[in-house]
Amino acid sequence: MPNGLAGTTLRINLSTGEIRRLPTDEALYRRWHGGRGITAKIIYDEVPRDADPLGPENLFIVNAGIMSGCYIPAGSKVEFGAVSPLTNGPGDSNMGGHFGPALKFAGYDMIIFEGVSAKPVYLFVDNEVVELRDASGYWGMKSLDCEKRLKEDLGEDFEIVTIGPAGENGVLFSCITHDFGRQAGRTGQGAVMGSKRLKAITVRGNKSLHVKDLESLRKQVTEIILRTQKHPNMVPWQKYGTAFFIRWSNDNAVIPAYNFQTTFYEDIDKIDGDQLVEKCLITHKACFGCWMNCGKFTKAVIPGKPEVHLEGPEYETGSLCGANLGMKDINHVAYINWLLDNLGMDSMSGGGVIAFAMECFERGLINPSDLEGHTLKWGSVDDVEHFLEMVAHRRGIGDWFAGGTKRAAAKIGRGSEKFAMQVKGQEMSGYDGRWAPGMLLSYMTADIGAHHNRSWTITVDMAEGREKVEDRAKIVVYLQHIRPLFDTWCICRLFWGELDITPEEIVESLNHITGWGVDVDEVLRTSEMIWNLNRCHYIERNRQNGRAFDYPPARAWEDKIPSGPGKGKGLSLLQIDQMLDEYYAARGWDKNGNPTRELLEDLGLGPAASNLEELGFLGKPSPGGIPPVRGEKYKPKAF
């Protein structure tokens, strides 16, 4: 058995029902490290550039990486990937919980789905038993309800991922749900599942994984457990989870409020982490192999509505479905979280879409006649509930918003594009970048569309001057190299970001598991290779220079922050262009934002260079050679 791997890859043709078992390609894992790396490689090689993301030619990939299930710190993740229907580029999304380890314990590293089923199905995996089963009885069920029913039908020991009505109906920001509240939310992977009529995947496994040096891994992980238990960040993380950051973001004027109109929310004390713990918390919850327990299993109690149970809201949902919607009760935020989870929509994009629609209503761009006689006012949980049902079932104007804010703005027009808060079609995460320029640059240049998990620079912005745009690029590039590695390895980044486990320690764990003998510079170079392949893929599918799709909406430079500690702060378009120029130079791309042949061949991506050249989008060589941030310069001195 290969070290760190289960040894088998499943290739499933949903059109024919054929299930093939293939030996896992160890060389592919050695080069691309699993997770988002292998996903990027496979969809680049196999999905035609003109393929409809919701058509039969798109692939849907489930990958548990090289470290998930190996009892290293937070080794719990699984990655889902396909060409994204939301961005029309390479897409991936990950989730924690228990599904990734269960897949490997059943004996499988990866599942590649192709084609489209003639009827709704779910994949049943019970160690050696792998079957496509009829899901007609589950089709139409909401995500959380479906998971409960499948556990009743199959057994509590199955780990299950599901989609809801939104995924079935092709809402482009649909998510995949697991463990009654864990989500693979970004890039519309739930819509890809729905397009293939794949309702769920159920897995049970009891096999073991082989690692290269078990004793060294055991000693290292034991030391990390003992050390991190005493870390000062452990107590607040265990008490609040990421909801701890709600008040912090407000105090530091980066929280989005009223669709990113401002960065300070006067009613923050009604929706912050203290309110979550006091009014909603039932118990703490952890993913596989984790002692942080940052998950919060909660209830939402609203007079006149049923009491509901969920996991969350964590920070992103709390900010984007709280302050961003003008909510003034933590129970209302939690209820919206539950609505989105059960309907099967990403709560980040979902919060962004609702907020955009609310601002459109406020401005008179949509009206009650568009909303089946309802309103859509800031702070109204009833309005949100009705609107989400319209979106999930694509009723009336809900069909426009089912495509996300960029597509909705294109339909509505009349200047709404300015405040559709997205990049590349994907809605921004829960941080405003007008007084955190590195964060804005992170959104602008993220390979899958605006997303905080690719690069989170706010603390660096604060340390170095929040109105300074110079030298942001090198820090963003470094973080874009290291943070996405966790999605490649399929482990959680919080132990690195919050409990000070070093990259060197993580790579040491990787070597104990695999025996690869890699160092930090090598894994960062692998991440750079993945990033550049995704950049090429996006350019090839969208047939534009890279710079054309790296701009944020005009609110980012036209509107100064109107209230709170950041009042009057903002960026200019000239500063945004300056950051892009510096970013492209740090990446080794030309000023159009296109990779060069010299760079791509250096990374082993010569065929991608030829594809760009054939389309007329290959970057012009830099007079100074290849200047990307790498080697000793991967981690800039300023960081």
Side-chain angles (χ1 to χ4, degrees), residues 260-263 434 559-564 566-569:
F260 288 78
Q261 291 187 62
T262 188
T263 63
R434 285 174 289 180
D559 293 356
K560 304 303 180 186
I561 297 171
S563 61
K567 184 176 181 179
K569 304 297 184 182

Side-chain angles (χ1 to χ4, degrees), residues 149-165:
R149 176 70 61 80
L150 282 165
K151 280 184 173 287
E152 291 171 352
D153 293 347
L154 302 178
E156 284 287 338
D157 51 349
F158 276 85
E159 300 298 340
I160 298 169
V161 297
T162 64
I163 61 169

Side-chain angles (χ1 to χ4, degrees), residues 544-597:
Q544 288 181 295
N545 288 317
R547 195 179 196 105
F549 49 73
D550 281 346
Y551 284 96
R555 170 161 285 165
W557 70 83
E558 290 185 358
D559 293 356
K560 304 303 180 186
I561 297 171
S563 61
K567 184 176 181 179
K569 304 297 184 182
L571 296 168
S572 67
L573 183 57
L574 183 64
Q575 289 175 308
I576 287 172
D577 276 318
Q578 179 183 343
M579 287 196 295
L580 284 177
D581 287 343
E582 292 185 6
Y583 177 86
Y584 298 151
R587 278 255 171 235
W589 302 344
D590 72 2
K591 286 195 173 184
N592 287 322
N594 299 337
T596 66
R597 177 173 290 279

Side-chain angles (χ1 to χ4, degrees), residues 371-537:
L371 298 165
E372 301 176 335
H374 288 254
T375 60
L376 193 52
K377 295 181 179 180
W378 303 112
S380 172
V381 69
D382 291 329
D383 285 354
V384 169
E385 184 166 20
H386 176 264
F387 177 70
L388 287 179
E389 287 288 340
M390 288 185 68
V391 173
H393 298 283
R394 306 191 78 130
R395 296 198 315 259
I397 202 173
D399 184 58
W400 292 5
F401 290 93
T405 55
K406 182 179 180 180
R407 289 175 176 83
K411 295 281 189 180
I412 294 167
R414 293 180 285 173
S416 62
E417 297 88 350
K418 172 182 175 176
F419 53 88
M421 304 308 292
Q422 53 75 38
V423 180
K424 300 180 180 69
Q426 179 154 265
E427 287 68 30
M428 292 179 176
S429 305
Y431 308 94
D432 191 298
R434 285 174 289 180
W435 202 27
M439 194 68 238
L440 184 62
L441 182 62
S442 297
Y443 286 150
M444 291 159 59
T445 58
D447 59 339
I448 59 169
H451 192 19
H452 70 287
N453 95 324
R454 294 308 212 234
S455 169
W456 192 82
T457 67
I458 289 176
T459 53
V460 181
D461 287 323
M462 292 175 179
E464 297 200 350
R466 299 179 63 172
E467 296 169 53
K468 177 185 177 184
V469 299
E470 296 81 10
D471 296 327
R472 298 298 88 189
K474 291 181 180 179
I475 295 164
V476 169
V477 170
Y478 167 66
L479 289 173
Q480 288 175 343
H481 286 151
I482 194 165
R483 286 178 68 94
L485 274 170
F486 294 87
D487 299 341
T488 303
W489 295 325
C490 291
I491 62 176
C492 180
R493 70 181 50 80
L494 288 182
F495 278 73
W496 164 69
E498 306 302 332
L499 301 181
D500 296 327
I501 296 179
T502 67
E504 287 77 12
E505 288 179 295
I506 298 169
V507 171
E508 183 181 358
S509 295
L510 178 66
N511 287 328
H512 291 328
I513 292 168
T514 63
W516 288 349
V518 297
D519 60 17
V520 172
D521 278 358
E522 182 176 341
V523 300
L524 289 170
R525 183 177 171 85
T526 299
S527 192
E528 183 184 5
M529 176 179 65
I530 298 167
W531 196 274
N532 276 272
L533 186 69
N534 276 344
R535 183 70 169 190
C536 294
H537 197 172

Side-chain angles (χ1 to χ4, degrees), residues 171-227:
V171 175
L172 299 190
F173 52 94
S174 300
C175 66
I176 301 169
T177 299
H178 161 62
D179 199 25
F180 302 101
R182 289 286 165 176
Q183 314 290 340
R186 309 258 68 191
T187 72
Q189 298 300 310
V192 179
M193 275 187 72
S195 73
K196 295 186 176 300
R197 298 191 180 90
L198 179 64
K199 179 65 176 180
I201 306 171
T202 68
V203 176
R204 180 169 62 183
N206 59 9
K207 300 177 182 179
S208 60
L209 298 171
H210 184 269
V211 300
K212 178 68 174 178
D213 188 345
L214 180 60
E215 182 58 22
S216 294
L217 183 66
R218 184 192 66 79
K219 288 181 179 178
Q220 184 198 21
V221 172
T222 300
E223 188 278 325
I224 289 172
I225 291 172
L226 295 174
R227 187 179 83 225

Side-chain angles (χ1 to χ4, degrees), residues 44-69:
Y44 184 87
D45 286 349
E46 297 190 30
V47 179
R49 295 299 180 265
D50 59 352
D52 180 355
L54 297 180
E57 292 180 303
N58 200 6
L59 301 178
F60 176 63
I61 301 172
V62 185
N63 192 303
I66 196 73
M67 298 176 80
S68 187

